[in-house]
Amino acid sequence: MPKMLSDSSVVDASAEGSHPPQRPSAKVRWTRTVALSAVVALICLGLAWELWLAPTGRGTLAIKVIPLFFPLVGLWRYRLYTYRWLSLLVWVYCGEGLVRATSETGLSQILAMIEVALCVVLFAACAAQVRWRLAQGQVTESPPSSAP
C-alpha cells in the first residue's frame, strides 16, 4: 500500500509500516514564517490605521481585519489549503490598498502603500509554499478514478 502524505506535510502512520513525521524543509518553514508575519502585520496595520492613525468615520472599518484571523491556525499547521485560499483573499486587501493609495493623501496614502507591499509579500510567500510543497511531493492528489 503506498504511503499517502497528508495536507499538513506529516506522513500518516499506517498499520503496516509507520514512518516518522517528516520535518518541513527550510524553504517551507521560511515561507510559513513570512506568511504568518505578513498576516499579523496586515492585522496590526488595519487596526492601527482604522482606530488610531487615520480613522475613517468612527473606526468601524477596523472590522475589515476579521477575515485575516481565520488563516492563522492553518498557516501555523502548514495546511496547504489555507495557503491556497489565502493567496486569493489577499487580493481583496491589495485592491483596497491600491484604491486608497491613489485616492487619499497624507498618512492614509502611505499606510495604503504599506498594505499593498504586505499583500504582495504574503502572496509571494503563499505561492512559494504551494509550489515548493507540490514540487517536493509532500502533498499527493487523489488518483483519477477509472471509469468503466
Side-chain angles (χ1 to χ4, degrees):
M1 179 179 282
K3 66 179 179 179
M4 296 297 290
L5 298 171
S6 72
D7 195 32
S8 61
S9 78
V10 178
V11 176
D12 294 331
S14 64
E16 293 177 8
S18 95
H19 300 281
Q22 290 181 352
R23 182 168 164 84
S25 70
K27 288 179 181 180
V28 170
R29 287 192 315 269
W30 182 79
T31 56
R32 179 186 74 167
T33 302
V34 172
L36 274 169
S37 300
V39 170
V40 171
L42 277 171
I43 290 170
C44 293
L45 175 70
L47 291 174
W49 185 355
E50 298 300 341
L51 296 177
W52 299 289
L53 299 174
T56 305
R58 291 187 235 164
T60 54
L61 275 180
I63 64 170
K64 70 181 180 185
V65 301
I66 291 173
L68 292 173
F69 283 99
F70 296 117
L72 291 175
V73 173
L75 294 175
W76 182 257
R77 293 183 179 173
Y78 295 98
R79 306 258 189 229
L80 189 63
Y81 181 74
T82 303
Y83 288 92
R84 287 177 172 171
W85 68 258
L86 183 58
S87 68
L88 299 174
L89 174 68
V90 72
W91 294 114
V92 173
Y93 293 92
C94 187
E96 183 222 6
L98 289 169
V99 167
R100 292 182 79 171
T102 57
S103 64
E104 296 184 10
T105 59
L107 182 58
S108 287
Q109 186 177 36
I110 294 168
L111 294 171
M113 286 188 247
I114 294 170
E115 182 179 32
V116 171
L118 286 171
C119 289
V120 170
V121 168
L122 178 57
F123 177 77
C126 288
Q129 174 82 216
V130 170
R131 184 175 207 180
W132 287 333
R133 285 183 54 197
L134 290 177
Q136 289 176 347
Q138 290 184 345
V139 177
T140 58
E141 301 296 329
S142 57
S145 61
S146 57

